Amino acid sequence: LQKILILLQVTLSVVVGKTLMILFPNAMKRYILKMGEKSRMNQNPKFSYENWGPTFFSFKYLKFVLKVKWKRLEDEAYEGHPAPNTPVVTLGGEVRHLLDFMEDKRPLILNFGSCT
């Protein structure tokens, strides 16, 4: 049920966003650039709006947002319940789970840095 609600919410936002991009391209460009300021994307001279701006509210954007939001449903933790066995990627690019590191008795270092 949660996945269906997320699908409806994200689809509606993509349809509205795409419609606004068609009807008001300059206003949407300003809005998207304003959103880019929060992540400092605009400060990189090699990262021009023409390269990434039009990808907002596309089908690929819809699929990516759905994938991220659905994945987050699996990672919810509640007080008094076991923690989720979240998948992580090692420095070597291997996908493992948190409990794998507990079994190995090796130190686990988590980096919650920026993904941009």
Side-chain angles (χ1 to χ4, degrees):
L1 181 64
Q2 287 179 321
K3 283 188 175 186
I4 293 172
L5 291 175
I6 290 172
L7 172 66
L8 292 174
Q9 176 202 9
V10 173
T11 303
L12 179 65
S13 96
V14 167
V15 168
V16 169
K18 193 62 155 179
T19 304
L20 291 174
M21 282 182 83
I22 292 168
L23 296 176
F24 308 103
N26 292 331
M28 285 303 288
K29 179 179 179 178
R30 285 192 307 271
Y31 174 73
I32 292 171
L33 287 172
K34 190 79 167 167
M35 288 184 349
E37 287 176 8
K38 294 177 186 173
S39 63
R40 299 188 199 152
M41 286 173 56
N42 301 349
Q43 294 178 0
N44 186 345
K46 296 179 182 178
F47 230 59
S48 68
Y49 172 82
E50 287 71 25
N51 292 338
W52 57 271
T55 63
F56 275 74
F57 309 114
S58 65
F59 185 68
K60 282 186 178 181
Y61 174 85
L62 171 72
K63 285 184 1 182
F64 175 76
V65 173
L66 283 176
K67 181 180 173 184
V68 169
K69 286 187 175 261
W70 285 347
K71 191 69 177 159
R72 287 187 182 162
L73 284 176
E74 300 169 10
D75 291 341
E76 290 184 4
Y78 300 100
E79 188 175 339
H81 295 280
N85 192 15
T86 305
V88 293
V89 179
T90 66
L91 291 175
E94 180 185 358
V95 177
R96 308 263 314 262
H97 288 83
L98 287 179
L99 288 179
D100 297 341
F101 293 96
M102 298 298 289
E103 294 165 358
D104 292 346
K105 304 287 189 219
R106 294 188 294 171
L108 173 63
I109 300 170
L110 299 176
N111 179 359
F112 294 104
S114 172
C115 60
T116 57

